[in-house]
Amino acid sequence: MGHCSCCGHECAPKKEVEVRNSIFQEYWKAGLSFILLISGIIMNALDSSFFHKEYVALIWYIVAYLPVGLPVMKEAWESMKEKDYFSEFTLMIVATIGAFYIGEYPEGVAVMLFYTIGELFQDKAVDKAKRNIGALLDVRPEKALVLRDNSLITESPKNVKVGEIIEIKSGERVPLDGVMLNEVAAFNTAALTGESVPRNIREGEEVLAGMIVTDKVIRIKVTRPFDKSALARILELVQNASERKAPAELFIRKFARIYTPIVIGLAVLIVILPFVYSFIDTQFAFVFNDWLYRALVFLVISCPCALVVSIPLGYFGGIGAASRLGILFKGGNYLDAITKINTVVLDKTGTLTKGTFEVQECKSASGISEKELIGMVASVESDSTHPIAKAIVNYAKQQSVELSPVTGTKEYAGFGLEAMINGTPVLVGNCRLLSNFNIEYPAELLQITDTIVVCAIGTDYAGYLLLADTLKDDAKKAIDDLKMLHIKNIQILSGDKQSIVTNFAEKLGITSAYGDLLPEGKVQHLEELRQDGTNQIAFVGDGMNDAPVLALSHVGIAMGGLGSDAAIETADVVIQTDQPSKVAEAIKVGKLTRRIIWQNVSLAFGVKLLVLILGAGGIATLWEAVFADVGVALLAIMNAVRIQKMIK
């Protein structure tokens, strides 16, 4: 429970109230219409005296019709103002008014009610996909600690001026761009660069909004206002990229532009042609009401209810089946879009790799065993909170290596650590640390592209540990499965060093891999791919820095289990299990769903066409039309349910 801002008492969270209100506003009209329709049919079946008078039944069904009919009338009016005179809205209105004219009140209400429910289903599937990009702004810190008059004041980042000093605690996100005032500190920069290795920033160097301080309290001097920060620029990229995404136009809307004027024209001809023929053949008796009845029955039969219902049913079947596999499609339109994908671009860290460091190799110098080397390095690193240090200590535990007590630990910023073990000085860090102490080491260490931690005992080089981010268990399968789907253009984009990215690409059998990319670079690369109209691109990523490219791609796929909220908000498809192999499965689900959808459309259209012909000839009545509609809908439901059984 939350506390009400006006009275301080506990009250239901505002968001829950808003959700309930939204659901009520969407469904109350259809619900009211349904209750009135069913109660009217029951009273008529029970031969209620209340319903004996014609005007009572007419008023009753008009009241039932208006909640669902008025919104459609409004849509039809809006379409007409845009010179779209033959929308499906027009057909629904003409057909249902026709049903009322011939005295088929329940059918007139039912047709509009079923149409409205079908539209609600379809809108729900599509609208959920269009997440408000503005929600990304929640990622930015809402507060900043500003140093004013020798005291720290909590202030909105928007009100912090360039030149002021702000303080950021360990674990907090930097709210504004600035320059470092402390000697050195470690930062998680994944939000901006996707770089998996924490970065040390020294005094005088630039600190960007969005970075997270990982080891100590720091102070920076602000160099840019809130709306010009690095994080703000990323969010702007997301918003701009989203605007460039073409909205999915529903099939039924396109179809109605052709179908509706033809149906209305044929209905008019059903009345006019017999009238004209009566002048040619004087023996032919033209009865206006009879032919008008046929025309109206023809219109009622022609209502595309089965078409409207069969489409969302198929999509819901696909979405439901995919969700069982841990794949969340945000709308039926993305099930269609993913079937056209021929280019897959993947982020590396957190998408193809685990995003955590592990010791890959231990290489000891002569005179010392590997276990001794691991023990020395892990002992010196044991008090450090750095991710690499933690990975080494965990590795020592896995190898059952006991740690030794250390004393006199000294940190050399940007180089490493020095400590005493059993009275002997031990150096642990990078090659520059050993160079500073004039300790010789093999020259080939400088050629190693992955992260290495070197060690010296006393004045002698003792060996090194090689660490790297590791591939996810199913990463190779993910790429192989995509190739089996005839997707030949598979690429990797990453903020990591090019050498590291190339190494992973070779392991996976990918020939196109690009490293050292900031978010702007990833966007530029994707825009270049989009310039070739034949490329239908899916981007797979997990970090906030991936949000702009997720929004720009034709289908954005986010790793949702561990991925950032920003990526999940922006993506069209979310892999909830964090398994890259699910990307190929998502494409398979999309293709199967699309096949089922077109089966439903063909079935609905074929049956509808047959009954339309029978209706024009006066053979089919309104009841046959309703039965045909219900039958087609049931077949469409059964066909859609097949998706659930076919996808396991």
Side-chain angles (χ1 to χ4, degrees):
M1 298 290 283
H3 288 274
C4 180
S5 59
C6 57
C7 62
H9 295 298
E10 287 193 348
C11 58
K14 288 183 179 179
K15 189 170 285 188
E16 290 182 13
V17 175
E18 288 173 3
V19 169
R20 285 199 298 269
N21 289 340
S22 174
I23 293 172
F24 177 76
Q25 289 171 2
E26 285 182 13
Y27 295 107
W28 77 266
K29 294 176 182 178
L32 176 61
S33 178
F34 177 77
I35 291 169
L36 290 172
L37 172 63
I38 295 300
S39 58
I41 291 172
I42 291 172
M43 283 190 287
N44 187 59
L46 295 175
D47 200 22
S48 170
S49 58
F50 174 71
F51 242 52
H52 279 177
K53 295 178 181 179
E54 181 69 19
Y55 73 87
V56 173
L58 176 61
I59 293 172
W60 184 273
Y61 286 115
I62 286 175
V63 173
Y65 177 87
L66 290 177
V68 289
L70 286 176
V72 177
M73 291 179 183
K74 183 181 177 183
E75 292 284 356
W77 175 246
E78 293 295 331
S79 297
M80 287 179 182
K81 287 199 293 186
E82 297 294 325
K83 297 184 180 180
D84 183 9
Y85 302 107
F86 294 106
S87 64
E88 79 273 25
F89 306 118
T90 308
L91 179 57
M92 299 308 301
I93 292 167
V94 173
T96 51
I97 290 176
F100 269 83
Y101 180 84
I102 60 177
E104 300 289 353
Y105 308 141
E107 285 76 7
V109 175
V111 164
M112 189 64 81
L113 176 61
F114 294 148
Y115 174 80
T116 301
I117 292 172
E119 282 290 292
L120 280 173
F121 284 155
Q122 185 68 34
D123 289 344
K124 203 74 177 173
V126 176
D127 290 344
K128 277 188 175 180
K130 299 174 182 175
R131 296 295 185 100
N132 184 5
I133 298 301
L136 286 171
L137 298 177
D138 294 339
V139 175
R140 288 192 279 193
E142 296 178 356
K143 297 177 181 178
L145 282 176
V146 190
L147 184 64
R148 290 175 182 166
D149 298 326
N150 294 321
S151 61
L152 291 170
I153 300 169
T154 301
E155 182 66 271
S156 167
K158 294 179 182 178
N159 299 329
V160 178
K161 298 175 182 177
V162 173
E164 290 193 293
I165 295 171
I166 60 173
E167 184 174 286
I168 305 101
K169 296 176 182 177
S170 177
E172 290 183 350
R173 194 182 296 274
V174 177
L176 296 153
D177 293 355
V179 293
M180 185 74 164
L181 298 180
N182 296 62
E183 184 179 352
V184 67
F187 289 82
N188 178 344
T189 65
L192 297 172
T193 66
E195 175 64 58
S196 54
V197 180
R199 177 182 165 193
N200 284 327
I201 297 179
R202 291 185 259 297
E203 187 176 356
E205 293 183 343
E206 187 175 40
V207 179
L208 299 177
M211 293 180 175
I212 299 173
V213 190
T214 60
D215 60 349
K216 64 179 70 173
V217 177
I218 61 126
R219 288 186 178 183
I220 67 170
K221 187 176 182 179
V222 177
T223 55
R224 294 190 192 96
F226 178 74
D227 57 353
K228 301 293 182 184
S229 69
L231 191 53
R233 291 199 302 273
I234 287 181
L235 297 175
E236 186 179 356
L237 279 173
V238 176
Q239 290 168 319
N240 292 339
S242 294
E243 289 169 7
R244 288 197 290 270
K245 293 188 81 168
E249 189 168 15
L250 305 181
F251 165 78
I252 196 67
R253 298 280 165 88
K254 293 179 180 178
F255 179 72
R257 289 174 187 166
I258 302 169
Y259 177 79
T260 306
I262 290 174
V263 164
I264 292 176
L266 290 173
V268 172
L269 287 176
I270 287 173
V271 178
I272 292 177
L273 289 179
F275 176 67
V276 172
Y277 183 72
S278 67
F279 288 102
I280 298 171
D281 185 356
T282 54
Q283 299 298 316
F284 178 74
F286 173 76
V287 180
F288 176 76
N289 281 348
D290 288 349
W291 288 100
L292 179 61
Y293 178 85
R294 288 190 185 189
L296 292 174
V297 168
F298 177 85
L299 273 178
V300 173
I301 293 170
S302 68
C303 293
C305 299
L307 282 171
V308 171
V309 171
S310 67
I311 295 171
L313 276 175
Y315 285 131
F316 284 131
I319 290 170
S323 66
R324 289 213 320 268
L325 299 174
I327 304 165
L328 172 63
F329 282 90
K330 290 186 177 179
N333 47 344
Y334 298 117
L335 273 165
D336 264 345
I338 204 168
T339 63
K340 302 168 187 173
I341 294 302
N342 56 24
T343 301
V344 176
V345 182
L346 303 108
D347 174 52
K348 181 185 74 67
T349 306
T351 301
L352 291 171
T353 66
K354 297 177 181 178
T356 56
F357 285 93
E358 290 183 11
V359 175
Q360 303 292 314
E361 184 182 353
C362 175
K363 191 83 170 178
S364 61
S366 58
I368 182 173
S369 68
E370 288 187 0
K371 281 207 167 188
E372 286 178 305
L373 175 63
I374 295 167
M376 288 287 187
V377 176
S379 297
V380 175
E381 296 277 24
S382 60
D383 290 331
S384 175
T385 58
H386 195 282
I388 289 176
K390 289 180 179 179
I392 292 171
V393 173
N394 288 336
Y395 183 71
K397 289 179 181 176
Q398 291 169 8
Q399 300 297 315
S400 302
V401 175
E402 290 187 12
L403 303 187
S404 305
V406 297
T407 57
T409 303
K410 295 180 185 177
E411 180 182 356
Y412 297 94
F415 297 95
L417 301 170
E418 179 186 18
M420 301 294 289
I421 298 179
N422 299 323
T424 304
V426 178
L427 296 173
V428 172
N430 54 35
C431 292
R432 288 182 299 170
L433 177 67
L434 270 60
S435 297
N436 284 356
F437 281 84
N438 298 315
I439 296 174
E440 292 185 3
Y441 55 87
E444 58 263 26
L445 295 188
L446 298 174
Q447 306 302 317
I448 296 175
T449 56
D450 285 335
T451 302
I452 65 168
V453 175
V454 297
C455 176
I457 301 173
T459 58
D460 298 320
Y461 166 73
Y464 69 87
L465 298 180
L466 185 141
L467 296 93
D469 196 358
T470 54
L471 284 171
K472 289 184 178 177
D473 296 336
D474 65 331
K476 187 69 170 70
K477 180 179 184 299
I479 304 305
D480 292 343
D481 288 352
L482 288 172
K483 289 179 179 178
M484 287 178 67
L485 291 170
H486 307 293
I487 296 173
K488 297 177 181 177
N489 191 358
I490 304 173
Q491 303 184 5
I492 297 178
L493 302 184
S494 179
D496 268 351
K497 290 187 291 186
Q498 181 64 57
S499 55
I500 295 176
V501 179
T502 302
N503 181 38
F504 278 113
E506 289 174 353
K507 291 178 181 177
L508 295 169
I510 297 174
T511 55
S512 300
Y514 305 89
D516 300 312
L517 294 176
L518 289 170
E520 291 89 345
K522 290 184 180 181
V523 169
Q524 184 180 354
H525 185 88
L526 221 70
E527 285 178 336
E528 289 172 1
L529 282 175
R530 284 191 65 130
Q531 287 175 6
D532 183 348
T534 61
N535 287 333
Q536 293 294 308
I537 307 157
F539 182 85
V540 189
D542 76 316
M544 186 177 64
N545 61 294
D546 297 326
V549 271
L550 283 167
L552 184 58
S553 59
H554 294 98
V555 178
I557 304 174
M559 292 291 165
L562 299 173
S564 76
D565 291 340
I568 295 168
E569 282 292 324
T570 313
D572 309 315
V573 183
V574 178
I575 306 296
Q576 295 169 297
T577 61
D578 262 353
Q579 295 172 285
S581 59
K582 296 290 184 182
V583 175
E585 290 191 30
I587 295 173
K588 290 177 186 176
V589 171
K591 288 185 175 182
L592 175 61
T593 302
R594 195 165 189 268
R595 190 164 72 243
I596 296 290
I597 292 296
W598 281 101
Q599 287 173 0
N600 282 349
V601 168
S602 301
L603 174 70
F605 182 73
V607 173
K608 185 67 70 177
L609 185 62
L610 174 63
V611 181
L612 281 174
I613 294 169
L614 295 175
I619 300 172
T621 67
L622 192 60
W623 290 110
E624 277 83 2
V626 172
F627 177 78
D629 248 359
V630 172
V632 170
L634 286 173
L635 288 173
I637 291 170
M638 292 168 67
N639 201 26
V641 168
R642 280 200 313 131
I643 300 176
Q644 301 278 351
K645 294 181 179 179
M646 293 170 73
I647 300 172
K648 295 181 181 179

